[in-house]
Amino acid sequence: MSDALALHRDSIIIDGLIIAKWNRELFEDMAKGGLTAANCTVSVWEGFQGTVDNIVEFNELMRENSDLIRPVHTTEDILAAKREGKTGIMLGFQNVHAFEDKLGYIEIFKKLGVGIAQMAYNTQNLVGTGCYERDGGLSGYGREVVAEMNRVGIMCDLSHVGPKTSEEVILESKKPVCYSHCLPLGLKDHPRNKSDEELKFIADHGGFIGVTMFAPFLKNGINSTIEDYVEAIDYIVDLVGEDCVGIGTDFTQGHDQEFFEWITHDKGYARRLTKFGEIINPKGIRTVGEFPNLTAALLDSGWSPEKVQKIMGGNWVKVLKDVWGE
């Protein structure tokens, strides 16, 4: 374990998706877990105004907790966070609803620090379709949104997006796109999981795959362990190679049942889309603070230190550098 801890300490550790309750307790846990940077969700169902308000709140948190966290606008900021022993905060959306019908808002959000935005969250929006309803594909306006995101340097995320819309975004985008947090359908049949064909398609077109450990989507559900999570990572790496895969936990740490009701209803209040039941993270990585256990588990499964460093954060840095136009 001492070798694993040393490797973890020396590596860039990036979580491609966290939607936790933002507070000092969480930032302390990020420090405990040795997290270099994370894509932190600041918009799901909110429109432009609500999302700006969320960013204002997060900016206040960054000022108040500047001993633990720092903003990330470039990959150099990620490396700086590593040097400073802090966690870099990349602001991210799980829905482009906040762009509303104004292409100009995309550049505004980029300047506010948004580096990744998911094209749809579970249902239809002006751009395309989520994974919980009939998929109408990418709209004409959606094609303009993809082009503008490419131009300003915001990564297109397809984790909760329907298969047809995802395919059309992958083909439309001139920059790599991602599933920031997904699992393979080959290990569990669930509408949020991606088929082997979908995983290969995004990889073959220069895209990126962040592997989640959200228990309802894992093979053994709430009885899953960190070994089940490693199995899912291995499954995807075996399918697409080790150069386009990373971590995207989908940590919901600190949230209550009201939050899960909000994210599982369309627009946060309308029809129910899904019901997760109990949410328990895999044994061995229940909290962000247990991140070093993942490095150890990957080494224990026979991975080389170099491969571990790629998956734990190196690959994310490389793809973000490309998308962000550095």
Side-chain angles (χ1 to χ4, degrees):
M1 185 69 178
S2 60
D3 287 350
L5 283 171
L7 180 65
H8 191 84
R9 195 171 54 243
D10 294 342
S11 302
I12 301 283
I13 309 295
I14 295 181
D15 193 333
L17 198 287
I18 296 184
I19 184 170
K21 188 163 182 63
W22 311 119
N23 54 32
R24 185 164 181 88
E25 187 183 357
L26 182 84
F27 304 142
E28 287 171 342
D29 215 34
M30 286 176 162
K32 182 183 171 190
L35 205 55
T36 313
N39 168 23
C40 300
T41 299
V42 291
S43 187
V44 181
W45 299 120
E46 296 91 342
F48 178 83
Q49 185 64 60
T51 300
V52 170
D53 291 343
N54 288 347
I55 294 173
V56 167
E57 249 180 73
F58 217 124
N59 284 344
E60 287 171 7
L61 280 171
M62 282 199 259
R63 283 194 301 276
E64 291 164 5
N65 299 280
S66 58
D67 57 323
L68 294 172
I69 58 174
R70 58 159 293 153
V72 166
H73 291 259
T74 64
T75 54
E76 179 48 47
D77 290 335
I78 295 173
L79 304 182
K82 184 67 182 174
R83 289 193 299 271
E84 295 163 7
K86 296 178 183 178
T87 301
I89 303 295
M90 305 180 271
L91 300 181
F93 292 176
Q94 290 219 46
N95 198 342
V96 295
H97 181 59
F99 297 162
E100 298 183 357
D101 57 357
K102 305 280 196 304
L103 284 172
Y105 285 175
I106 298 170
E107 186 170 19
I108 297 293
F109 280 121
K110 173 65 177 179
K111 289 177 175 175
L112 293 179
V114 176
I116 301 176
Q118 190 167 255
M119 307 313 285
Y121 188 76
N122 295 340
T123 60
Q124 183 78 41
N125 61 21
L126 295 176
V127 162
T129 313
C131 60
Y132 282 109
E133 62 183 327
R134 188 177 51 140
D135 191 348
L138 188 64
S139 68
Y141 172 64
R143 293 177 198 281
E144 292 182 280
V145 168
V146 171
E148 183 65 2
M149 288 171 71
N150 284 174
R151 186 186 75 81
V152 305
I154 297 178
M155 192 173 201
C156 300
D157 183 359
L158 302 168
S159 304
H160 287 249
V161 179
K164 185 67 182 166
T165 300
S166 294
E167 179 189 331
E168 292 182 357
V169 171
I170 291 165
L171 293 174
E172 188 73 23
S173 182
K174 304 289 189 286
K175 290 285 187 179
V177 304
C178 70
Y179 296 129
S180 69
H181 56 301
C182 75
L183 280 165
L185 199 66
L187 290 178
K188 181 164 186 176
D189 188 11
H190 191 284
R192 264 282 280 114
N193 291 350
K194 308 297 181 183
S195 68
D196 289 4
E197 292 71 29
E198 287 173 299
L199 294 167
K200 284 179 186 166
F201 191 78
I202 196 170
D204 288 346
H205 289 81
F208 192 87
I209 300 161
V211 190
T212 185
M213 53 167 216
F214 193 61
F217 311 153
L218 279 167
K219 186 174 71 178
N220 292 317
I222 59 170
N223 299 312
S224 298
T225 65
I226 197 166
E227 286 75 26
D228 294 313
Y229 184 35
V230 169
E231 179 190 18
I233 298 168
D234 259 327
Y235 183 101
I236 292 176
V237 169
D238 287 346
L239 201 64
V240 302
E242 64 185 60
D243 295 326
C244 62
V245 179
I247 303 301
T249 63
D250 207 5
F251 266 118
T252 55
Q253 204 165 321
H255 280 305
D256 58 13
Q257 189 55 38
E258 190 182 346
F259 166 81
F260 290 104
E261 290 297 314
W262 180 68
I263 62 169
T264 54
H265 284 76
D266 187 26
K267 312 295 183 285
Y269 67 86
R271 73 186 188 280
R272 176 174 287 287
L273 302 167
T274 185
K275 196 170 178 66
F276 295 134
E278 203 173 0
I279 309 288
I280 302 175
N281 290 331
K283 188 180 178 186
I285 189 162
R286 301 262 200 240
T287 64
V288 183
E290 292 186 306
F291 240 101
N293 294 349
L294 183 54
T295 294
L298 291 170
L299 287 173
D300 288 346
S301 71
W303 284 31
S304 70
E306 294 74 25
K307 185 176 174 183
V308 171
Q309 286 188 308
K310 279 185 181 180
I311 303 300
M312 291 297 287
N315 287 341
W316 265 121
V317 174
K318 198 172 161 191
V319 75
L320 289 171
K321 198 167 193 173
D322 184 358
V323 174
W324 292 350
E326 299 170 15

